[in-house]
Amino acid sequence: MPVRPGDVRALLETLVRIDSRNPSLVPGAPGERHVAHVLAEVLGGWGFRLAWQEAAPGRPNLVARIGDARPGAPVLLLNGHLDTVGTEGMAHAPFDPVVRDGMLHGRGSCDMKAGIAAMCVAAWGAAQAGIAGEVIVAAVCDEEHASLGTRHLLASGVRADAAIVTEPTRLAIAPAHKGFAWIEYVLHGTAAHGSRHDIGVDAIAHAARLAALVDDANDGALAAITHPLLGRASVHASTIAGGTGWSTYPDRCVLRVERRTVPGETEAAVREEAARTVTALAARVPGVRCEWTLPLHQAPNDVSVDAPIVRALAAAMTRATGAPAAIDGLQCWTDAALLTAAGIPAICYGPGDIALAHAATEYVPLDEVHVATAVLRELVVDFCA
């Protein structure tokens, strides 16, 4: 069924009905291709200029442009991801956008198809009013896993003067968010019969001591590393695995740790911290054998609260709602960090509560969707004036 131009609720319902679970998280899931094709059909009918990018086989980005593309004209990027996480354990039908008490339910309703619907309708509405610049709407793949979509978008040469990532912020402006690093420690012991305490070396016991050191760091040094919008840095043990049976000393144990970083912290600093943790373990357990790797690091995002895009969005919020804008930090990681690092100041703003992302019950307030649409339209008109 066609979506009438400017109908944000109808577009949101259309997107939620389409299963776009990320196949890197849910084996056999369909990914973003179908939802991207449907969105392309809608936006093409609304007058957007469309481009298709294959970030990976079967994993597309949709890049839709509207407005004046003359050289030197301002360019605003609106970015959002089409993929969702899995649906196991959900308390309601994941792909049936039912509205209860003003809340539209469904997997991806909050994270972040509401944001995508709002930015598409806002860009279209601003273009109808007449703008002297260009809006790029980038609906990308794979944010929930490795951000292949936004990485490919940047590698393709897409650039803008500023960006809004329409992740759920409860309509607060979020110019900063945390980063993270995943650290994997492999502890080695000596396998032996459970009765041979004289020769068995327990790798799980070593991992337990290492986990205690990690917890000590969280309660100690990391509490002093803070950011005014984000609070403190943190670390926690994520998974632990080892052993082969009841009556055998385990010769190997793997401890995985997640470190949440705040702006100002670097990958090099996290690596030094991991190395110090192993050194501290060796001081407690002479002869311990421990190897570690850092499989993934995603930097935090930090745009000044006085940056032009922050001021412009705050002014748009006041014009559209009559109320001052709230400025807050976002605890989770988003693609905004990649955009800012590439020289495109990117901040997060969108409808919904990030606490409902990935949850058994996921919904978005429709009134927030309408407000976000109006605010983003005001921003585009002003930014591209």
Side-chain angles (χ1 to χ4, degrees), residues 6-9 11-12 46 78 114-126 166 171 320 349-351 366-380:
D7 190 337
V8 69
R9 175 172 171 174
L11 180 56
L12 173 56
W46 292 5
L78 303 178
I116 287 180
M119 71 189 196
C120 290
V121 172
W124 175 84
T166 55
L171 302 180
Y349 171 83
L366 284 173
D367 61 346
E368 288 191 14
V369 178
H370 290 293
V371 170
T373 304
V375 170
L376 290 172
R377 181 188 179 282
E378 284 287 328
L379 172 67
V380 172

PDB file of all heavy atoms in Angstrom, residues 6-9 11-12 46 78 114-126 166 171 320 349-351 366-380:
ATOM      1  N   GLY A   6       4.531  12.583   3.404  1.00  0.00           N
ATOM      2  CA  GLY A   6       4.442  13.308   4.664  1.00  0.00           C
ATOM      3  C   GLY A   6       3.759  12.575   5.791  1.00  0.00           C
ATOM      4  O   GLY A   6       3.684  13.086   6.912  1.00  0.00           O
ATOM      5  N   ASP A   7       3.281  11.339   5.556  1.00  0.00           N
ATOM      6  CA  ASP A   7       2.561  10.594   6.591  1.00  0.00           C
ATOM      7  C   ASP A   7       3.566   9.778   7.405  1.00  0.00           C
ATOM      8  O   ASP A   7       3.913   8.645   7.066  1.00  0.00           O
ATOM      9  CB  ASP A   7       1.519   9.681   5.945  1.00  0.00           C
ATOM     10  CG  ASP A   7       0.566   9.064   6.963  1.00  0.00           C
ATOM     11  OD1 ASP A   7       0.930   8.972   8.152  1.00  0.00           O
ATOM     12  OD2 ASP A   7      -0.546   8.648   6.564  1.00  0.00           O
ATOM     13  N   VAL A   8       4.034  10.356   8.504  1.00  0.00           N
ATOM     14  CA  VAL A   8       5.112   9.729   9.266  1.00  0.00           C
ATOM     15  C   VAL A   8       4.642   8.465   9.963  1.00  0.00           C
ATOM     16  O   VAL A   8       5.391   7.477  10.050  1.00  0.00           O
ATOM     17  CB  VAL A   8       5.726  10.745  10.263  1.00  0.00           C
ATOM     18  CG1 VAL A   8       4.763  11.085  11.392  1.00  0.00           C
ATOM     19  CG2 VAL A   8       7.039  10.212  10.820  1.00  0.00           C
ATOM     20  N   ARG A   9       3.413   8.451  10.465  1.00  0.00           N
ATOM     21  CA  ARG A   9       2.941   7.229  11.125  1.00  0.00           C
ATOM     22  C   ARG A   9       2.822   6.075  10.134  1.00  0.00           C
ATOM     23  O   ARG A   9       3.231   4.948  10.445  1.00  0.00           O
ATOM     24  CB  ARG A   9       1.589   7.478  11.809  1.00  0.00           C
ATOM     25  CG  ARG A   9       0.997   6.211  12.400  1.00  0.00           C
ATOM     26  CD  ARG A   9      -0.232   6.462  13.237  1.00  0.00           C
ATOM     27  NE  ARG A   9      -0.884   5.213  13.603  1.00  0.00           N
ATOM     28  CZ  ARG A   9      -1.916   5.118  14.437  1.00  0.00           C
ATOM     29  NH1 ARG A   9      -2.415   6.210  14.997  1.00  0.00           N
ATOM     30  NH2 ARG A   9      -2.449   3.942  14.714  1.00  0.00           N
ATOM     31  N   LEU A  11       4.479   5.634   7.389  1.00  0.00           N
ATOM     32  CA  LEU A  11       5.822   5.182   7.019  1.00  0.00           C
ATOM     33  C   LEU A  11       6.429   4.338   8.130  1.00  0.00           C
ATOM     34  O   LEU A  11       7.022   3.279   7.871  1.00  0.00           O
ATOM     35  CB  LEU A  11       6.718   6.384   6.716  1.00  0.00           C
ATOM     36  CG  LEU A  11       8.159   6.047   6.317  1.00  0.00           C
ATOM     37  CD1 LEU A  11       8.198   5.112   5.114  1.00  0.00           C
ATOM     38  CD2 LEU A  11       8.942   7.329   6.046  1.00  0.00           C
ATOM     39  N   LEU A  12       6.268   4.771   9.373  1.00  0.00           N
ATOM     40  CA  LEU A  12       6.782   3.999  10.503  1.00  0.00           C
ATOM     41  C   LEU A  12       6.145   2.615  10.557  1.00  0.00           C
ATOM     42  O   LEU A  12       6.832   1.600  10.736  1.00  0.00           O
ATOM     43  CB  LEU A  12       6.533   4.766  11.808  1.00  0.00           C
ATOM     44  CG  LEU A  12       6.859   4.038  13.109  1.00  0.00           C
ATOM     45  CD1 LEU A  12       8.302   3.552  13.138  1.00  0.00           C
ATOM     46  CD2 LEU A  12       6.562   4.934  14.305  1.00  0.00           C
ATOM     47  N   TRP A  46       8.300  10.122  -3.577  1.00  0.00           N
ATOM     48  CA  TRP A  46       8.190  11.445  -2.974  1.00  0.00           C
ATOM     49  C   TRP A  46       9.129  12.464  -3.629  1.00  0.00           C
ATOM     50  O   TRP A  46       9.157  13.628  -3.224  1.00  0.00           O
ATOM     51  CB  TRP A  46       8.511  11.385  -1.487  1.00  0.00           C
ATOM     52  CG  TRP A  46       7.505  10.652  -0.654  1.00  0.00           C
ATOM     53  CD1 TRP A  46       6.406   9.968  -1.083  1.00  0.00           C
ATOM     54  CD2 TRP A  46       7.519  10.536   0.776  1.00  0.00           C
ATOM     55  NE1 TRP A  46       5.738   9.420  -0.022  1.00  0.00           N
ATOM     56  CE2 TRP A  46       6.391   9.751   1.136  1.00  0.00           C
ATOM     57  CE3 TRP A  46       8.361  10.992   1.776  1.00  0.00           C
ATOM     58  CZ2 TRP A  46       6.094   9.426   2.458  1.00  0.00           C
ATOM     59  CZ3 TRP A  46       8.077  10.680   3.103  1.00  0.00           C
ATOM     60  CH2 TRP A  46       6.952   9.907   3.450  1.00  0.00           C
ATOM     61  N   LEU A  78      21.259  13.190   7.386  1.00  0.00           N
ATOM     62  CA  LEU A  78      20.400  12.544   8.378  1.00  0.00           C
ATOM     63  C   LEU A  78      20.649  11.046   8.262  1.00  0.00           C
ATOM     64  O   LEU A  78      20.441  10.451   7.198  1.00  0.00           O
ATOM     65  CB  LEU A  78      18.930  12.875   8.122  1.00  0.00           C
ATOM     66  CG  LEU A  78      18.574  14.366   8.101  1.00  0.00           C
ATOM     67  CD1 LEU A  78      17.089  14.553   7.789  1.00  0.00           C
ATOM     68  CD2 LEU A  78      18.931  15.037   9.427  1.00  0.00           C
ATOM     69  N   ALA A 114      11.509   4.584  13.995  1.00  0.00           N
ATOM     70  CA  ALA A 114      10.825   5.858  14.247  1.00  0.00           C
ATOM     71  C   ALA A 114      11.707   7.022  13.839  1.00  0.00           C
ATOM     72  O   ALA A 114      11.245   7.998  13.230  1.00  0.00           O
ATOM     73  CB  ALA A 114      10.432   5.964  15.715  1.00  0.00           C
ATOM     74  N   GLY A 115      12.984   6.934  14.177  1.00  0.00           N
ATOM     75  CA  GLY A 115      13.921   7.983  13.781  1.00  0.00           C
ATOM     76  C   GLY A 115      14.062   8.086  12.275  1.00  0.00           C
ATOM     77  O   GLY A 115      14.146   9.186  11.714  1.00  0.00           O
ATOM     78  N   ILE A 116      14.098   6.940  11.595  1.00  0.00           N
ATOM     79  CA  ILE A 116      14.199   6.954  10.136  1.00  0.00           C
ATOM     80  C   ILE A 116      12.949   7.580   9.521  1.00  0.00           C
ATOM     81  O   ILE A 116      13.033   8.424   8.615  1.00  0.00           O
ATOM     82  CB  ILE A 116      14.438   5.531   9.600  1.00  0.00           C
ATOM     83  CG1 ILE A 116      15.871   5.096   9.924  1.00  0.00           C
ATOM     84  CG2 ILE A 116      14.159   5.452   8.103  1.00  0.00           C
ATOM     85  CD1 ILE A 116      16.227   3.715   9.455  1.00  0.00           C
ATOM     86  N   ALA A 117      11.768   7.176   9.993  1.00  0.00           N
ATOM     87  CA  ALA A 117      10.531   7.751   9.458  1.00  0.00           C
ATOM     88  C   ALA A 117      10.509   9.267   9.672  1.00  0.00           C
ATOM     89  O   ALA A 117      10.146  10.027   8.763  1.00  0.00           O
ATOM     90  CB  ALA A 117       9.326   7.097  10.123  1.00  0.00           C
ATOM     91  N   ALA A 118      10.906   9.712  10.862  1.00  0.00           N
ATOM     92  CA  ALA A 118      10.883  11.145  11.170  1.00  0.00           C
ATOM     93  C   ALA A 118      11.834  11.917  10.263  1.00  0.00           C
ATOM     94  O   ALA A 118      11.490  12.996   9.745  1.00  0.00           O
ATOM     95  CB  ALA A 118      11.241  11.377  12.638  1.00  0.00           C
ATOM     96  N   MET A 119      13.039  11.383  10.036  1.00  0.00           N
ATOM     97  CA  MET A 119      14.006  12.147   9.239  1.00  0.00           C
ATOM     98  C   MET A 119      13.605  12.180   7.762  1.00  0.00           C
ATOM     99  O   MET A 119      13.820  13.187   7.082  1.00  0.00           O
ATOM    100  CB  MET A 119      15.422  11.599   9.424  1.00  0.00           C
ATOM    101  CG  MET A 119      15.724  10.267   8.808  1.00  0.00           C
ATOM    102  SD  MET A 119      17.354   9.673   9.353  1.00  0.00           S
ATOM    103  CE  MET A 119      17.648   8.368   8.127  1.00  0.00           C
ATOM    104  N   CYS A 120      12.994  11.105   7.267  1.00  0.00           N
ATOM    105  CA  CYS A 120      12.544  11.093   5.872  1.00  0.00           C
ATOM    106  C   CYS A 120      11.431  12.111   5.647  1.00  0.00           C
ATOM    107  O   CYS A 120      11.465  12.888   4.674  1.00  0.00           O
ATOM    108  CB  CYS A 120      12.056   9.694   5.499  1.00  0.00           C
ATOM    109  SG  CYS A 120      13.362   8.442   5.390  1.00  0.00           S
ATOM    110  N   VAL A 121      10.445  12.111   6.535  1.00  0.00           N
ATOM    111  CA  VAL A 121       9.319  13.031   6.383  1.00  0.00           C
ATOM    112  C   VAL A 121       9.776  14.472   6.599  1.00  0.00           C
ATOM    113  O   VAL A 121       9.328  15.394   5.902  1.00  0.00           O
ATOM    114  CB  VAL A 121       8.176  12.645   7.343  1.00  0.00           C
ATOM    115  CG1 VAL A 121       7.083  13.704   7.340  1.00  0.00           C
ATOM    116  CG2 VAL A 121       7.604  11.284   6.949  1.00  0.00           C
ATOM    117  N   ALA A 122      10.697  14.677   7.553  1.00  0.00           N
ATOM    118  CA  ALA A 122      11.200  16.032   7.795  1.00  0.00           C
ATOM    119  C   ALA A 122      11.934  16.572   6.576  1.00  0.00           C
ATOM    120  O   ALA A 122      11.742  17.735   6.186  1.00  0.00           O
ATOM    121  CB  ALA A 122      12.122  16.026   9.008  1.00  0.00           C
ATOM    122  N   ALA A 123      12.786  15.743   5.969  1.00  0.00           N
ATOM    123  CA  ALA A 123      13.521  16.189   4.785  1.00  0.00           C
ATOM    124  C   ALA A 123      12.565  16.505   3.641  1.00  0.00           C
ATOM    125  O   ALA A 123      12.719  17.521   2.941  1.00  0.00           O
ATOM    126  CB  ALA A 123      14.519  15.106   4.365  1.00  0.00           C
ATOM    127  N   TRP A 124      11.568  15.645   3.440  1.00  0.00           N
ATOM    128  CA  TRP A 124      10.587  15.888   2.376  1.00  0.00           C
ATOM    129  C   TRP A 124       9.810  17.182   2.649  1.00  0.00           C
ATOM    130  O   TRP A 124       9.637  18.011   1.748  1.00  0.00           O
ATOM    131  CB  TRP A 124       9.626  14.705   2.285  1.00  0.00           C
ATOM    132  CG  TRP A 124       8.517  14.943   1.303  1.00  0.00           C
ATOM    133  CD1 TRP A 124       8.542  14.748  -0.045  1.00  0.00           C
ATOM    134  CD2 TRP A 124       7.215  15.461   1.607  1.00  0.00           C
ATOM    135  NE1 TRP A 124       7.340  15.107  -0.609  1.00  0.00           N
ATOM    136  CE2 TRP A 124       6.502  15.552   0.379  1.00  0.00           C
ATOM    137  CE3 TRP A 124       6.584  15.850   2.784  1.00  0.00           C
ATOM    138  CZ2 TRP A 124       5.191  16.016   0.306  1.00  0.00           C
ATOM    139  CZ3 TRP A 124       5.274  16.324   2.712  1.00  0.00           C
ATOM    140  CH2 TRP A 124       4.587  16.398   1.486  1.00  0.00           C
ATOM    141  N   GLY A 125       9.354  17.365   3.885  1.00  0.00           N
ATOM    142  CA  GLY A 125       8.576  18.548   4.226  1.00  0.00           C
ATOM    143  C   GLY A 125       9.372  19.820   4.054  1.00  0.00           C
ATOM    144  O   GLY A 125       8.849  20.835   3.562  1.00  0.00           O
ATOM    145  N   ALA A 126      10.647  19.802   4.440  1.00  0.00           N
ATOM    146  CA  ALA A 126      11.488  20.983   4.283  1.00  0.00           C
ATOM    147  C   ALA A 126      11.677  21.316   2.810  1.00  0.00           C
ATOM    148  O   ALA A 126      11.658  22.487   2.410  1.00  0.00           O
ATOM    149  CB  ALA A 126      12.834  20.759   4.961  1.00  0.00           C
ATOM    150  N   THR A 166      19.471   9.816  14.086  1.00  0.00           N
ATOM    151  CA  THR A 166      18.177   9.885  14.765  1.00  0.00           C
ATOM    152  C   THR A 166      17.924   8.687  15.682  1.00  0.00           C
ATOM    153  O   THR A 166      16.845   8.109  15.695  1.00  0.00           O
ATOM    154  CB  THR A 166      17.035  10.039  13.746  1.00  0.00           C
ATOM    155  OG1 THR A 166      17.098   8.968  12.790  1.00  0.00           O
ATOM    156  CG2 THR A 166      17.139  11.365  13.024  1.00  0.00           C
ATOM    157  N   LEU A 171      14.006  12.849  22.694  1.00  0.00           N
ATOM    158  CA  LEU A 171      13.953  14.216  22.173  1.00  0.00           C
ATOM    159  C   LEU A 171      14.973  15.145  22.825  1.00  0.00           C
ATOM    160  O   LEU A 171      14.895  16.366  22.658  1.00  0.00           O
ATOM    161  CB  LEU A 171      12.546  14.812  22.291  1.00  0.00           C
ATOM    162  CG  LEU A 171      11.433  14.035  21.599  1.00  0.00           C
ATOM    163  CD1 LEU A 171      10.092  14.747  21.801  1.00  0.00           C
ATOM    164  CD2 LEU A 171      11.715  13.848  20.113  1.00  0.00           C
ATOM    165  N   ALA A 320       9.807  24.888  17.181  1.00  0.00           N
ATOM    166  CA  ALA A 320       8.775  23.892  16.876  1.00  0.00           C
ATOM    167  C   ALA A 320       7.892  23.579  18.076  1.00  0.00           C
ATOM    168  O   ALA A 320       6.722  23.242  17.914  1.00  0.00           O
ATOM    169  CB  ALA A 320       9.416  22.612  16.359  1.00  0.00           C
ATOM    170  N   TYR A 349      19.714  12.697  17.981  1.00  0.00           N
ATOM    171  CA  TYR A 349      18.437  13.287  18.366  1.00  0.00           C
ATOM    172  C   TYR A 349      17.336  12.454  17.740  1.00  0.00           C
ATOM    173  O   TYR A 349      17.326  12.239  16.518  1.00  0.00           O
ATOM    174  CB  TYR A 349      18.315  14.739  17.886  1.00  0.00           C
ATOM    175  CG  TYR A 349      16.926  15.314  18.077  1.00  0.00           C
ATOM    176  CD1 TYR A 349      16.543  15.835  19.306  1.00  0.00           C
ATOM    177  CD2 TYR A 349      15.999  15.305  17.041  1.00  0.00           C
ATOM    178  CE1 TYR A 349      15.262  16.345  19.496  1.00  0.00           C
ATOM    179  CE2 TYR A 349      14.723  15.820  17.217  1.00  0.00           C
ATOM    180  CZ  TYR A 349      14.360  16.329  18.448  1.00  0.00           C
ATOM    181  OH  TYR A 349      13.102  16.817  18.632  1.00  0.00           O
ATOM    182  N   GLY A 350      16.397  11.977  18.561  1.00  0.00           N
ATOM    183  CA  GLY A 350      15.309  11.207  17.981  1.00  0.00           C
ATOM    184  C   GLY A 350      14.265  10.823  19.005  1.00  0.00           C
ATOM    185  O   GLY A 350      14.449  10.977  20.222  1.00  0.00           O
ATOM    186  N   PRO A 351      13.145  10.282  18.523  1.00  0.00           N
ATOM    187  CA  PRO A 351      12.055   9.867  19.412  1.00  0.00           C
ATOM    188  C   PRO A 351      12.344   8.519  20.045  1.00  0.00           C
ATOM    189  O   PRO A 351      13.057   7.682  19.493  1.00  0.00           O
ATOM    190  CB  PRO A 351      10.858   9.777  18.462  1.00  0.00           C
ATOM    191  CG  PRO A 351      11.468   9.393  17.144  1.00  0.00           C
ATOM    192  CD  PRO A 351      12.802  10.088  17.095  1.00  0.00           C
ATOM    193  N   LEU A 366       4.022   7.886  19.871  1.00  0.00           N
ATOM    194  CA  LEU A 366       3.740   8.544  18.595  1.00  0.00           C
ATOM    195  C   LEU A 366       3.845  10.064  18.700  1.00  0.00           C
ATOM    196  O   LEU A 366       4.228  10.726  17.726  1.00  0.00           O
ATOM    197  CB  LEU A 366       2.360   8.137  18.092  1.00  0.00           C
ATOM    198  CG  LEU A 366       2.268   6.734  17.481  1.00  0.00           C
ATOM    199  CD1 LEU A 366       0.825   6.380  17.165  1.00  0.00           C
ATOM    200  CD2 LEU A 366       3.132   6.616  16.231  1.00  0.00           C
ATOM    201  N   ASP A 367       3.521  10.620  19.868  1.00  0.00           N
ATOM    202  CA  ASP A 367       3.635  12.072  19.974  1.00  0.00           C
ATOM    203  C   ASP A 367       5.091  12.517  19.840  1.00  0.00           C
ATOM    204  O   ASP A 367       5.387  13.561  19.257  1.00  0.00           O
ATOM    205  CB  ASP A 367       3.011  12.581  21.281  1.00  0.00           C
ATOM    206  CG  ASP A 367       3.662  12.023  22.531  1.00  0.00           C
ATOM    207  OD1 ASP A 367       4.436  11.040  22.428  1.00  0.00           O
ATOM    208  OD2 ASP A 367       3.401  12.565  23.626  1.00  0.00           O
ATOM    209  N   GLU A 368       6.038  11.700  20.331  1.00  0.00           N
ATOM    210  CA  GLU A 368       7.452  12.035  20.169  1.00  0.00           C
ATOM    211  C   GLU A 368       7.875  11.938  18.707  1.00  0.00           C
ATOM    212  O   GLU A 368       8.722  12.724  18.237  1.00  0.00           O
ATOM    213  CB  GLU A 368       8.331  11.124  21.033  1.00  0.00           C
ATOM    214  CG  GLU A 368       8.248  11.404  22.515  1.00  0.00           C
ATOM    215  CD  GLU A 368       9.321  10.678  23.312  1.00  0.00           C
ATOM    216  OE1 GLU A 368      10.289  10.168  22.701  1.00  0.00           O
ATOM    217  OE2 GLU A 368       9.188  10.619  24.555  1.00  0.00           O
ATOM    218  N   VAL A 369       7.311  10.984  17.990  1.00  0.00           N
ATOM    219  CA  VAL A 369       7.625  10.853  16.560  1.00  0.00           C
ATOM    220  C   VAL A 369       7.198  12.112  15.817  1.00  0.00           C
ATOM    221  O   VAL A 369       7.941  12.654  14.982  1.00  0.00           O
ATOM    222  CB  VAL A 369       6.947   9.604  15.957  1.00  0.00           C
ATOM    223  CG1 VAL A 369       7.235   9.515  14.456  1.00  0.00           C
ATOM    224  CG2 VAL A 369       7.425   8.336  16.663  1.00  0.00           C
ATOM    225  N   HIS A 370       6.008  12.614  16.126  1.00  0.00           N
ATOM    226  CA  HIS A 370       5.518  13.824  15.456  1.00  0.00           C
ATOM    227  C   HIS A 370       6.345  15.051  15.844  1.00  0.00           C
ATOM    228  O   HIS A 370       6.643  15.893  14.985  1.00  0.00           O
ATOM    229  CB  HIS A 370       4.042  14.041  15.786  1.00  0.00           C
ATOM    230  CG  HIS A 370       3.134  13.032  15.144  1.00  0.00           C
ATOM    231  ND1 HIS A 370       2.945  12.954  13.790  1.00  0.00           N
ATOM    232  CD2 HIS A 370       2.377  12.036  15.690  1.00  0.00           C
ATOM    233  CE1 HIS A 370       2.106  11.969  13.512  1.00  0.00           C
ATOM    234  NE2 HIS A 370       1.742  11.398  14.645  1.00  0.00           N
ATOM    235  N   VAL A 371       6.726  15.146  17.105  1.00  0.00           N
ATOM    236  CA  VAL A 371       7.562  16.277  17.534  1.00  0.00           C
ATOM    237  C   VAL A 371       8.915  16.220  16.845  1.00  0.00           C
ATOM    238  O   VAL A 371       9.420  17.234  16.325  1.00  0.00           O
ATOM    239  CB  VAL A 371       7.724  16.291  19.065  1.00  0.00           C
ATOM    240  CG1 VAL A 371       8.795  17.307  19.476  1.00  0.00           C
ATOM    241  CG2 VAL A 371       6.408  16.623  19.752  1.00  0.00           C
ATOM    242  N   ALA A 372       9.541  15.044  16.837  1.00  0.00           N
ATOM    243  CA  ALA A 372      10.851  14.910  16.190  1.00  0.00           C
ATOM    244  C   ALA A 372      10.781  15.293  14.721  1.00  0.00           C
ATOM    245  O   ALA A 372      11.688  15.961  14.189  1.00  0.00           O
ATOM    246  CB  ALA A 372      11.354  13.474  16.331  1.00  0.00           C
ATOM    247  N   THR A 373       9.709  14.895  14.055  1.00  0.00           N
ATOM    248  CA  THR A 373       9.538  15.239  12.642  1.00  0.00           C
ATOM    249  C   THR A 373       9.462  16.749  12.460  1.00  0.00           C
ATOM    250  O   THR A 373      10.121  17.317  11.572  1.00  0.00           O
ATOM    251  CB  THR A 373       8.274  14.572  12.086  1.00  0.00           C
ATOM    252  OG1 THR A 373       8.350  13.154  12.297  1.00  0.00           O
ATOM    253  CG2 THR A 373       8.119  14.857  10.603  1.00  0.00           C
ATOM    254  N   ALA A 374       8.677  17.402  13.289  1.00  0.00           N
ATOM    255  CA  ALA A 374       8.533  18.861  13.189  1.00  0.00           C
ATOM    256  C   ALA A 374       9.850  19.571  13.488  1.00  0.00           C
ATOM    257  O   ALA A 374      10.223  20.539  12.803  1.00  0.00           O
ATOM    258  CB  ALA A 374       7.440  19.334  14.140  1.00  0.00           C
ATOM    259  N   VAL A 375      10.564  19.106  14.503  1.00  0.00           N
ATOM    260  CA  VAL A 375      11.830  19.746  14.880  1.00  0.00           C
ATOM    261  C   VAL A 375      12.869  19.569  13.775  1.00  0.00           C
ATOM    262  O   VAL A 375      13.575  20.516  13.400  1.00  0.00           O
ATOM    263  CB  VAL A 375      12.340  19.173  16.211  1.00  0.00           C
ATOM    264  CG1 VAL A 375      13.768  19.638  16.491  1.00  0.00           C
ATOM    265  CG2 VAL A 375      11.415  19.578  17.358  1.00  0.00           C
ATOM    266  N   LEU A 376      12.975  18.359  13.239  1.00  0.00           N
ATOM    267  CA  LEU A 376      13.954  18.110  12.185  1.00  0.00           C
ATOM    268  C   LEU A 376      13.618  18.905  10.922  1.00  0.00           C
ATOM    269  O   LEU A 376      14.514  19.377  10.218  1.00  0.00           O
ATOM    270  CB  LEU A 376      14.032  16.613  11.879  1.00  0.00           C
ATOM    271  CG  LEU A 376      14.666  15.765  12.990  1.00  0.00           C
ATOM    272  CD1 LEU A 376      14.512  14.286  12.671  1.00  0.00           C
ATOM    273  CD2 LEU A 376      16.146  16.118  13.164  1.00  0.00           C
ATOM    274  N   ARG A 377      12.342  19.070  10.634  1.00  0.00           N
ATOM    275  CA  ARG A 377      11.957  19.906   9.492  1.00  0.00           C
ATOM    276  C   ARG A 377      12.413  21.329   9.704  1.00  0.00           C
ATOM    277  O   ARG A 377      12.978  21.959   8.797  1.00  0.00           O
ATOM    278  CB  ARG A 377      10.439  19.855   9.285  1.00  0.00           C
ATOM    279  CG  ARG A 377       9.943  20.677   8.103  1.00  0.00           C
ATOM    280  CD  ARG A 377       8.426  20.739   8.065  1.00  0.00           C
ATOM    281  NE  ARG A 377       7.933  21.538   6.948  1.00  0.00           N
ATOM    282  CZ  ARG A 377       7.905  22.866   6.921  1.00  0.00           C
ATOM    283  NH1 ARG A 377       8.346  23.563   7.977  1.00  0.00           N
ATOM    284  NH2 ARG A 377       7.428  23.506   5.861  1.00  0.00           N
ATOM    285  N   GLU A 378      12.190  21.869  10.906  1.00  0.00           N
ATOM    286  CA  GLU A 378      12.656  23.219  11.215  1.00  0.00           C
ATOM    287  C   GLU A 378      14.171  23.321  11.054  1.00  0.00           C
ATOM    288  O   GLU A 378      14.687  24.300  10.526  1.00  0.00           O
ATOM    289  CB  GLU A 378      12.261  23.583  12.637  1.00  0.00           C
ATOM    290  CG  GLU A 378      10.809  23.942  12.823  1.00  0.00           C
ATOM    291  CD  GLU A 378      10.480  25.309  12.248  1.00  0.00           C
ATOM    292  OE1 GLU A 378      11.351  26.201  12.253  1.00  0.00           O
ATOM    293  OE2 GLU A 378       9.350  25.484  11.749  1.00  0.00           O
ATOM    294  N   LEU A 379      14.874  22.291  11.537  1.00  0.00           N
ATOM    295  CA  LEU A 379      16.342  22.306  11.442  1.00  0.00           C
ATOM    296  C   LEU A 379      16.792  22.340   9.982  1.00  0.00           C
ATOM    297  O   LEU A 379      17.675  23.120   9.618  1.00  0.00           O
ATOM    298  CB  LEU A 379      16.914  21.060  12.122  1.00  0.00           C
ATOM    299  CG  LEU A 379      18.425  20.856  11.918  1.00  0.00           C
ATOM    300  CD1 LEU A 379      19.220  21.944  12.618  1.00  0.00           C
ATOM    301  CD2 LEU A 379      18.849  19.479  12.388  1.00  0.00           C
ATOM    302  N   VAL A 380      16.190  21.490   9.148  1.00  0.00           N
ATOM    303  CA  VAL A 380      16.599  21.432   7.748  1.00  0.00           C
ATOM    304  C   VAL A 380      16.344  22.773   7.056  1.00  0.00           C
ATOM    305  O   VAL A 380      17.212  23.285   6.326  1.00  0.00           O
ATOM    306  CB  VAL A 380      15.848  20.298   7.013  1.00  0.00           C
ATOM    307  CG1 VAL A 380      16.132  20.371   5.515  1.00  0.00           C
ATOM    308  CG2 VAL A 380      16.267  18.941   7.563  1.00  0.00           C
TER     309      VAL A 380
END
